[in-house]
Amino acid sequence: MKDIKGIIVLEEASLLNNNTYKIPSICKYLITVNEIDGLIELLKYLRNNNIKYFILGAGSNVVLGDYFDGAVIKLNGLNYVNINDLDVVVGAGTMMGRLTMKTVEANLTGLEWAINIPGTVGGSIVGNAGAYNSEMFDSLVSIKVLNDNLEIQSIKKEDLIYNYRHTNIKELKLVVLEGTFRLDKGNKEESLELIKDRCERRCQSQPLDMPSAGSVFRNPDGDYAGRLIEQVGLKGKTLGGAQISLKHANFIVNTGSATSKDIKNLIELVQKEVKDKFDIDLIVEQEILDWK
Protein backbone atom coordinates (compact mmCIF):
# COMPACT_ATOMS: atom_id res chain seq x y z
CA MET A 1 0.00 0.00 0.00
CA LYS A 2 2.81 2.43 0.84
CA ASP A 3 4.11 2.00 -2.71
CA ILE A 4 0.98 3.59 -4.18
CA LYS A 5 1.86 6.91 -5.78
CA GLY A 6 0.42 10.05 -4.24
CA ILE A 7 -0.50 8.72 -0.80
CA ILE A 8 1.04 8.97 2.68
CA VAL A 9 0.33 6.20 5.19
CA LEU A 10 0.61 6.34 8.99
CA GLU A 11 -0.05 3.25 11.11
CA GLU A 12 -1.86 3.19 14.48
CA ALA A 13 -2.40 6.91 14.06
CA SER A 14 -4.07 9.33 16.44
CA LEU A 15 -7.07 11.26 15.12
CA LEU A 16 -6.97 13.79 17.96
CA ASN A 17 -6.10 16.61 15.58
CA ASN A 18 -8.40 15.30 12.84
CA ASN A 19 -11.72 15.88 14.62
CA THR A 20 -13.06 19.11 16.05
CA TYR A 21 -14.33 17.44 19.24
CA LYS A 22 -10.68 16.52 19.95
CA ILE A 23 -11.66 12.93 20.79
CA PRO A 24 -8.50 10.79 21.20
CA SER A 25 -9.52 8.21 18.59
CA ILE A 26 -7.05 5.83 16.93
CA CYS A 27 -7.18 4.24 13.48
CA LYS A 28 -5.13 1.37 12.09
CA TYR A 29 -4.16 3.42 9.03
CA LEU A 30 -4.37 7.14 8.43
CA ILE A 31 -3.91 7.81 4.72
CA THR A 32 -3.50 11.19 3.04
CA VAL A 33 -4.36 11.25 -0.66
CA ASN A 34 -2.84 13.84 -3.00
CA GLU A 35 -4.20 12.80 -6.40
CA ILE A 36 -7.23 11.03 -7.85
CA ASP A 37 -5.26 8.24 -9.55
CA GLY A 38 -3.69 7.40 -6.20
CA LEU A 39 -7.12 7.34 -4.57
CA ILE A 40 -8.47 4.89 -7.15
CA GLU A 41 -5.46 2.59 -6.75
CA LEU A 42 -5.72 2.83 -2.97
CA LEU A 43 -9.42 1.92 -2.89
CA LYS A 44 -8.78 -1.05 -5.18
CA TYR A 45 -6.06 -2.24 -2.81
CA LEU A 46 -8.23 -1.81 0.29
CA ARG A 47 -11.13 -3.68 -1.29
CA ASN A 48 -8.93 -6.51 -2.57
CA ASN A 49 -7.44 -6.93 0.91
CA ASN A 50 -10.77 -6.61 2.79
CA ILE A 51 -9.61 -3.53 4.68
CA LYS A 52 -12.42 -1.31 5.91
CA TYR A 53 -12.12 2.38 5.06
CA PHE A 54 -13.78 5.67 5.83
CA ILE A 55 -13.25 9.04 4.12
CA LEU A 56 -12.94 11.86 6.65
CA GLY A 57 -13.11 15.55 5.82
CA ALA A 58 -12.02 18.07 8.41
CA GLY A 59 -13.53 15.97 11.21
CA SER A 60 -16.25 18.49 11.94
CA ASN A 61 -19.88 17.45 12.39
CA VAL A 62 -18.82 13.90 13.37
CA VAL A 63 -18.51 11.89 16.58
CA LEU A 64 -15.66 9.45 16.08
CA GLY A 65 -15.48 6.05 17.73
CA ASP A 66 -12.59 5.07 19.99
CA TYR A 67 -10.77 2.81 17.51
CA PHE A 68 -11.17 2.03 13.82
CA ASP A 69 -9.63 -1.22 12.63
CA GLY A 70 -9.26 0.05 9.11
CA ALA A 71 -8.15 3.01 7.01
CA VAL A 72 -9.21 6.61 7.52
CA ILE A 73 -8.67 8.49 4.27
CA LYS A 74 -8.08 12.24 3.99
CA LEU A 75 -8.39 13.94 0.60
CA ASN A 76 -6.12 16.83 1.58
CA GLY A 77 -4.39 16.91 -1.80
CA LEU A 78 -7.63 17.70 -3.65
CA ASN A 79 -7.28 21.31 -2.57
CA TYR A 80 -7.89 23.75 -5.42
CA VAL A 81 -10.23 26.58 -6.38
CA ASN A 82 -10.55 27.36 -10.11
CA ILE A 83 -12.68 30.37 -11.03
CA ASN A 84 -14.01 30.98 -14.55
CA ASP A 85 -16.36 33.97 -14.67
CA LEU A 86 -19.30 32.92 -12.44
CA ASP A 87 -18.38 29.23 -12.25
CA VAL A 88 -16.17 27.92 -9.45
CA VAL A 89 -14.68 24.41 -9.52
CA VAL A 90 -13.42 23.27 -6.13
CA GLY A 91 -11.55 20.20 -4.92
CA ALA A 92 -13.16 18.12 -2.20
CA GLY A 93 -10.26 18.68 0.21
CA THR A 94 -10.59 22.48 0.15
CA MET A 95 -11.67 24.08 3.41
CA MET A 96 -14.93 26.03 3.19
CA GLY A 97 -13.41 29.20 4.64
CA ARG A 98 -10.73 29.21 1.94
CA LEU A 99 -13.36 28.75 -0.78
CA THR A 100 -15.37 31.66 0.60
CA MET A 101 -12.42 34.03 0.64
CA LYS A 102 -11.27 33.01 -2.85
CA THR A 103 -14.70 33.80 -4.28
CA VAL A 104 -14.97 37.09 -2.39
CA GLU A 105 -11.53 38.14 -3.71
CA ALA A 106 -12.89 37.47 -7.21
CA ASN A 107 -15.89 39.76 -6.53
CA LEU A 108 -18.34 36.88 -6.44
CA THR A 109 -21.17 36.60 -3.97
CA GLY A 110 -23.22 33.67 -2.67
CA LEU A 111 -20.90 31.85 -0.27
CA GLU A 112 -20.35 34.48 2.43
CA TRP A 113 -22.54 32.43 4.78
CA ALA A 114 -19.96 29.61 4.67
CA ILE A 115 -17.01 31.56 6.07
CA ASN A 116 -17.23 29.82 9.44
CA ILE A 117 -18.13 26.30 8.28
CA PRO A 118 -15.22 24.28 9.78
CA GLY A 119 -15.32 21.54 7.14
CA THR A 120 -14.09 20.60 3.70
CA VAL A 121 -16.04 21.17 0.49
CA GLY A 122 -16.50 17.42 0.02
CA GLY A 123 -17.90 16.81 3.47
CA SER A 124 -20.06 19.93 3.26
CA ILE A 125 -21.58 18.76 -0.03
CA VAL A 126 -22.30 15.28 1.35
CA GLY A 127 -24.10 16.74 4.38
CA ASN A 128 -25.55 19.77 2.55
CA ALA A 129 -24.00 22.05 5.17
CA GLY A 130 -25.61 25.39 5.76
CA ALA A 131 -25.98 28.49 7.91
CA TYR A 132 -28.04 31.69 7.98
CA ASN A 133 -30.82 30.12 5.88
CA SER A 134 -28.40 29.19 3.09
CA GLU A 135 -26.92 25.82 2.14
CA MET A 136 -24.48 24.14 -0.24
CA PHE A 137 -27.06 23.11 -2.80
CA ASP A 138 -28.26 26.69 -3.29
CA SER A 139 -25.35 27.42 -5.62
CA LEU A 140 -24.06 23.92 -6.39
CA VAL A 141 -24.39 22.97 -10.08
CA SER A 142 -22.79 19.53 -10.21
CA ILE A 143 -20.29 17.20 -8.56
CA LYS A 144 -17.51 14.96 -9.82
CA VAL A 145 -17.40 11.66 -7.98
CA LEU A 146 -15.95 8.18 -7.88
CA ASN A 147 -18.85 5.77 -8.16
CA ASP A 148 -18.98 2.35 -6.52
CA ASN A 149 -17.20 0.85 -9.54
CA LEU A 150 -14.35 3.35 -8.98
CA GLU A 151 -15.19 5.18 -12.18
CA ILE A 152 -15.09 8.98 -12.38
CA GLN A 153 -18.57 10.36 -13.01
CA SER A 154 -20.22 13.79 -13.18
CA ILE A 155 -23.64 14.21 -11.60
CA LYS A 156 -25.94 17.22 -11.86
CA LYS A 157 -27.51 18.57 -8.71
CA GLU A 158 -30.95 17.76 -10.07
CA ASP A 159 -30.07 14.06 -10.17
CA LEU A 160 -29.38 13.92 -6.43
CA ILE A 161 -31.80 13.82 -3.52
CA TYR A 162 -31.08 16.57 -1.02
CA ASN A 163 -32.84 18.41 1.77
CA TYR A 164 -32.02 20.06 5.09
CA ARG A 165 -28.54 18.82 6.13
CA HIS A 166 -28.88 15.62 4.12
CA THR A 167 -28.19 14.13 0.68
CA ASN A 168 -28.29 10.63 -0.77
CA ILE A 169 -24.62 10.73 -1.77
CA LYS A 170 -23.56 8.19 0.84
CA GLU A 171 -26.47 5.90 0.03
CA LEU A 172 -25.26 5.91 -3.58
CA LYS A 173 -21.73 4.99 -2.34
CA LEU A 174 -20.18 7.96 -4.07
CA VAL A 175 -16.89 9.64 -3.17
CA VAL A 176 -17.04 13.37 -3.88
CA LEU A 177 -13.93 14.58 -5.73
CA GLU A 178 -14.97 18.13 -6.59
CA GLY A 179 -17.93 20.45 -6.81
CA THR A 180 -18.91 23.12 -9.34
CA PHE A 181 -20.75 26.20 -8.07
CA ARG A 182 -22.36 29.06 -9.96
CA LEU A 183 -22.29 32.36 -8.09
CA ASP A 184 -23.37 35.93 -8.78
CA LYS A 185 -21.33 39.04 -9.45
CA GLY A 186 -20.71 40.79 -6.17
CA ASN A 187 -18.77 43.54 -4.48
CA LYS A 188 -15.73 42.56 -2.47
CA GLU A 189 -16.13 45.29 0.15
CA GLU A 190 -19.81 44.51 0.72
CA SER A 191 -19.01 40.80 1.03
CA LEU A 192 -16.26 41.49 3.56
CA GLU A 193 -18.68 43.56 5.65
CA LEU A 194 -21.18 40.69 5.60
CA ILE A 195 -18.45 38.23 6.59
CA LYS A 196 -17.40 40.49 9.46
CA ASP A 197 -21.00 40.57 10.70
CA ARG A 198 -21.29 36.76 10.44
CA CYS A 199 -18.06 36.26 12.39
CA GLU A 200 -19.11 38.67 15.15
CA ARG A 201 -22.50 36.98 15.52
CA ARG A 202 -20.84 33.58 15.69
CA CYS A 203 -18.43 34.72 18.41
CA GLN A 204 -21.32 36.08 20.45
CA SER A 205 -23.55 33.01 20.18
CA GLN A 206 -21.29 29.94 19.93
CA PRO A 207 -18.76 28.35 22.34
CA LEU A 208 -15.70 28.86 20.16
CA ASP A 209 -13.31 28.60 23.12
CA MET A 210 -13.93 24.86 23.56
CA PRO A 211 -13.77 21.88 21.18
CA SER A 212 -17.13 21.01 19.63
CA ALA A 213 -18.53 19.82 16.31
CA GLY A 214 -21.14 22.50 15.70
CA SER A 215 -24.88 22.11 16.16
CA VAL A 216 -25.74 18.68 17.51
CA PHE A 217 -29.41 18.47 16.49
CA ARG A 218 -31.45 19.66 13.56
CA ASN A 219 -33.97 22.33 14.43
CA PRO A 220 -37.48 20.83 14.39
CA ASP A 221 -40.07 22.58 12.23
CA GLY A 222 -41.07 25.88 13.77
CA ASP A 223 -38.78 25.57 16.78
CA TYR A 224 -35.17 25.49 17.91
CA ALA A 225 -33.34 22.52 19.38
CA GLY A 226 -31.42 24.81 21.72
CA ARG A 227 -34.63 26.22 23.20
CA LEU A 228 -36.04 22.74 23.82
CA ILE A 229 -32.84 21.59 25.51
CA GLU A 230 -32.91 24.64 27.78
CA GLN A 231 -36.57 24.01 28.63
CA VAL A 232 -35.82 20.49 29.88
CA GLY A 233 -33.12 21.90 32.15
CA LEU A 234 -30.09 20.32 30.47
CA LYS A 235 -28.09 23.44 29.59
CA GLY A 236 -24.72 22.96 31.29
CA LYS A 237 -25.32 19.25 31.95
CA THR A 238 -22.06 17.28 32.12
CA LEU A 239 -21.39 13.58 31.56
CA GLY A 240 -17.73 12.62 31.88
CA GLY A 241 -15.77 15.17 29.89
CA ALA A 242 -18.69 16.23 27.68
CA GLN A 243 -20.93 19.17 28.51
CA ILE A 244 -23.98 20.84 26.98
CA SER A 245 -22.64 24.31 26.37
CA LEU A 246 -23.62 27.08 28.75
CA LYS A 247 -23.44 29.50 25.83
CA HIS A 248 -25.59 27.60 23.31
CA ALA A 249 -27.60 24.54 24.35
CA ASN A 250 -27.45 22.93 20.91
CA PHE A 251 -23.69 22.52 21.24
CA ILE A 252 -21.84 19.80 23.13
CA VAL A 253 -18.31 20.77 24.14
CA ASN A 254 -15.28 18.84 25.28
CA THR A 255 -14.24 20.16 28.68
CA GLY A 256 -10.87 18.45 28.32
CA SER A 257 -11.30 14.68 28.62
CA ALA A 258 -14.44 13.80 26.65
CA THR A 259 -14.67 10.37 25.06
CA SER A 260 -16.89 9.21 22.25
CA LYS A 261 -19.06 7.44 24.84
CA ASP A 262 -19.47 10.64 26.90
CA ILE A 263 -20.75 12.57 23.90
CA LYS A 264 -23.07 9.80 22.70
CA ASN A 265 -24.53 9.34 26.20
CA LEU A 266 -25.24 13.07 26.42
CA ILE A 267 -26.92 13.04 23.01
CA GLU A 268 -29.15 10.14 24.08
CA LEU A 269 -30.05 11.90 27.34
CA VAL A 270 -31.11 15.04 25.47
CA GLN A 271 -33.26 13.03 23.05
CA LYS A 272 -34.97 11.18 25.89
CA GLU A 273 -35.73 14.29 27.96
CA VAL A 274 -37.04 16.30 25.00
CA LYS A 275 -39.15 13.36 23.84
CA ASP A 276 -40.60 12.86 27.33
CA LYS A 277 -41.52 16.52 27.83
CA PHE A 278 -42.46 17.71 24.34
CA ASP A 279 -43.04 14.47 22.37
CA ILE A 280 -40.51 15.72 19.82
CA ASP A 281 -37.88 13.43 18.30
CA LEU A 282 -34.71 15.47 17.95
CA ILE A 283 -32.74 14.32 14.92
CA VAL A 284 -28.96 14.27 15.30
CA GLU A 285 -27.28 16.50 12.73
CA GLN A 286 -23.80 15.14 13.48
CA GLU A 287 -22.69 11.78 12.11
CA ILE A 288 -22.08 9.25 14.86
CA LEU A 289 -19.48 6.68 13.82
CA ASP A 290 -19.91 3.47 15.83
CA TRP A 291 -16.66 1.92 14.71
CA LYS A 292 -16.34 -1.75 15.65
Side-chain angles (χ1 to χ4, degrees):
M1 177 166 55
K2 291 185 178 180
D3 294 331
I4 297 174
K5 184 180 177 182
I7 71 169
I8 300 170
V9 182
L10 297 176
E11 296 185 18
E12 299 299 325
S14 170
L15 295 172
L16 180 68
N17 293 320
N18 286 284
N19 75 99
T20 59
Y21 265 129
K22 297 295 182 182
I23 297 172
S25 300
I26 302 290
C27 63
K28 189 170 184 178
Y29 305 106
L30 177 59
I31 305 174
T32 302
V33 174
N34 293 309
E35 55 187 59
I36 294 174
D37 288 346
L39 174 62
I40 294 172
E41 192 174 347
L42 170 65
L43 294 181
K44 287 179 180 177
Y45 176 91
L46 296 175
R47 290 182 179 187
N48 290 338
N49 289 275
N50 295 314
I51 299 173
K52 296 178 290 185
Y53 62 87
F54 179 83
I55 296 177
L56 183 67
S60 61
N61 212 43
V62 296
V63 183
L64 301 184
D66 295 322
Y67 183 80
F68 183 49
D69 185 24
V72 170
I73 301 171
K74 303 271 293 178
L75 303 181
N76 294 15
L78 306 185
N79 180 17
Y80 52 86
V81 180
N82 299 325
I83 299 175
N84 182 16
D85 194 18
L86 301 179
D87 290 340
V88 183
V89 179
V90 195
T94 307
M95 292 297 295
M96 287 298 298
R98 178 170 180 264
L99 169 60
T100 297
M101 292 310 300
K102 284 282 189 180
T103 58
V104 167
E105 290 289 337
N107 285 300
L108 296 177
T109 184
L111 289 174
E112 292 90 343
W113 62 268
I115 186 64
N116 291 311
I117 299 294
T120 60
V121 168
S124 298
I125 290 173
V126 171
N128 194 17
Y132 305 107
N133 297 314
S134 296
E135 60 186 22
M136 295 296 285
F137 275 69
D138 290 344
S139 54
L140 184 70
V141 174
S142 64
I143 57 175
K144 181 187 288 185
V145 301
L146 274 186
N147 63 27
D148 198 36
N149 295 320
L150 300 184
E151 300 164 334
I152 297 175
Q153 178 182 355
S154 292
I155 302 177
K156 294 180 180 179
K157 173 176 73 173
E158 293 78 14
D159 295 327
L160 295 166
I161 296 172
Y162 59 92
N163 48 45
Y164 178 70
R165 306 297 183 266
H166 178 264
T167 72
N168 66 333
I169 292 173
K170 283 200 172 182
E171 287 91 330
L172 295 173
K173 298 181 180 179
L174 305 175
V175 178
V176 176
L177 302 175
E178 71 177 28
T180 297
F181 299 83
R182 183 159 297 137
L183 303 179
D184 295 318
K185 282 291 184 184
N187 177 283
K188 177 181 175 181
E189 298 307 318
E190 291 178 3
S191 293
L192 289 175
E193 279 298 314
L194 181 57
I195 285 172
K196 180 182 177 183
D197 175 71
R198 295 288 188 252
C199 290
E200 289 175 352
R201 288 171 61 180
R202 182 171 181 252
C203 287
Q204 292 168 3
S205 64
Q206 297 181 13
L208 303 182
D209 57 333
M210 303 177 79
S212 77
S215 298
V216 179
F217 302 99
R218 301 181 191 178
N219 287 323
D221 291 340
D223 211 334
Y224 295 95
R227 187 195 75 83
L228 296 171
I229 296 167
E230 285 193 45
Q231 287 295 306
V232 297
L234 288 178
K235 193 173 187 179
K237 174 69 176 177
T238 300
L239 290 178
Q243 180 187 59
I244 295 176
S245 171
L246 289 164
K247 194 168 189 178
H248 192 313
N250 197 20
F251 280 67
I252 291 177
V253 297
N254 183 350
T255 62
S257 60
T259 64
S260 176
K261 184 178 180 180
D262 294 337
I263 294 168
K264 287 186 282 190
N265 285 345
L266 203 48
I267 287 172
E268 290 172 3
L269 176 63
V270 168
Q271 288 176 313
K272 179 182 182 303
E273 294 296 319
V274 170
K275 177 67 172 178
D276 288 348
K277 183 165 185 175
F278 297 105
D279 196 28
I280 292 175
D281 293 306
L282 285 183
I283 299 173
V284 180
E285 183 173 317
Q286 297 172 359
E287 183 178 7
I288 298 176
L289 301 177
D290 289 318
W291 288 337
K292 305 298 183 184

